[in-house]
Amino acid sequence: MDAIRIHGGTPLQGEIVIGGAKNAALPLMAAALLSDEALTLANMPELADISTMSNLLRQLGVRIDQSALGAGEDDPSAGATRRTMTLKTDNIASVTAPYDLVRRMRASVLVLGPLVARHGEAKVSLPGGCAIGTRPVDLHLKALEQLGAKIELKQGYVHATVPKRLKGARINFPMVTVGGTENAMMAAALAEGETIIENAAREPEIANLAECLNAMGAQVSGGGTGTIKIKGVERLNAGRVAVIPDRIETGTYAIAAAITRGNVKLSGTRYDMLDAVFDAMRQAGVSVEDVDGGIVVSAKDRLRGIDVMTEPFPGFPTDMQAQWMALMATADGASMITETIFENRFMHVPELTRFGADVNVHGASAIVRGSAQLSGAPVMATDLRASVSLVLAGLAAKGETLVNRVYHLDRGYERLEQKLAACGADIERVGGS
Ligand code: EPZ
């Protein structure tokens, strides 16, 4: 199995081009099930999770064509190869999302809303537990029930049916759920009448989905705010939309620059999607500048420990929590990191302590007492963001680090080692143990 080997200690210098957002691309791909006409998605990232979603959609009857565009062809500011994907679902060939795919990638559950809305039936495996928490899908199911779907749970599968058409409804989520909001939006787009989603997730990925649905002829307003209104239409048409830049990839490389006390320009991305992270970085003593064509992140010598608490957007993202912890392990003083979204998202802590980080977990909070110098170690993690936090610690640590279970990284970071190596990091992929 592959591993990433790092010799840490080099301040990163240079430019990193940010790709399209995994967590925006996945629901946009699922939206292709809503229409028999072609949906074209620009700025698609090339990631393992995108391949998994493509495999699932092909099983359901979606035809997928991909093309790579040369630098600047599609987006003049990109400066990198950008991929475009066209998805066309003439007929729904199957309504089943099997256990094997759903357990590998929970976002598979996003086919539920579109399938039941367009075809009147969906059979989707319940995802089961996950490395970061129990992550139930009860709120997705309740929202679909409110739209008129009949939900039965049989042999580990959710069977959703509706005899005719879903009906618009008022859905008030008791807690913010990104995937639940996305499933409800896609289902409501083809429902009869108006749907109002209250306490909707406000993540930029939701606004991107609203933009996509509208490009296909839907009538969605308020995407990206707490209240989304959707006037259902009878059919959706062809559409084209660009996937937004990946804010978590942006934040991860911003921390890579800071943790190595380097100077990196992040291009092809947007500052406004990461205010909470950049505010915390500034307070810690990192320089973050919103410049033409990107964001310049640089740090020198000592950083300060800063407390953060994860929250739904626009708060500090849970998907940046592990990376923040790695940075705080190199800062002066203590910092308290509180995780409020997932109940089991400190799996990186025992691995970070292998670098010499001083971290104590008390319930939903971790206290990090910064130490000036981490030292490299063989490590592995159980999920994507935890794994990348170990890469970040390895970049700052003295000596050699071997990060095992690279497949986690390949789910969400495109050409990770190439992007870091281009900024001077001593990093390579090797055949691991
Ligand atoms: C999305 O997951 C992201 N995934 C996650 O990114 C991200 O961590 C998460 O949002 C929070 O920002 C994708 O977009 C594909 P939620 P999602 O529904 O939609 C509870 C990464 O590393 N909940 O907003 O599954 C749930 O257990 C990943 O890229 C219910 O109780 O997250 C959690 O505690 C990991 N019932 C909270 O809500 C439900 O029906 C928020 O989950 C649904 C959710």
Side-chain angles (χ1 to χ4, degrees), residues 22-24 26-27 49 105-110 130 132-142 173 175-182 201 203 205 247-248 311-313 317-319 340-343 345 383-386 412-413:
K22 163 179 87 75
N23 289 346
L26 294 170
D49 273 11
M105 190 188 66
R106 301 178 61 86
S108 311
V109 88
L110 293 171
C130 153
I132 59 177
T134 50
R135 300 184 76 184
V137 290
D138 56 320
L139 302 175
H140 299 232
L141 304 186
K142 198 160 168 246
F173 282 113
M175 64 192 284
V176 174
T177 160
V178 175
T181 303
E182 290 164 346
E203 271 65 5
E205 292 76 17
R247 63 195 166 99
I248 306 301
E311 286 172 327
F313 190 84
T318 173
D319 291 345
T340 73
I341 308 292
F342 293 110
E343 68 270 29
R345 215 175 190 181
D383 83 276
L384 168 61
R385 311 302 172 187
Y413 291 93

Side-chain angles (χ1 to χ4, degrees), residues 25 28-33 35-41 44 53-54 57 62-65 85-90 239:
L28 297 189
M29 291 172 74
L33 289 165
S35 169
D36 60 358
E37 293 187 41
L39 173 63
T40 302
L41 304 177
M44 281 293 285
M53 184 59 110
S54 298
L57 292 177
V62 185
R63 279 192 294 124
I64 302 180
D65 291 316
M85 181 183 271
T86 302
L87 306 98
K88 193 162 186 298
T89 322
D90 300 310

Side-chain angles (χ1 to χ4, degrees), residues 399-413:
E400 184 177 293
T401 291
L402 200 62
V403 182
N404 292 291
R405 298 194 178 168
V406 171
Y407 58 87
H408 287 301
L409 293 166
D410 292 336
R411 292 186 59 177
Y413 291 93

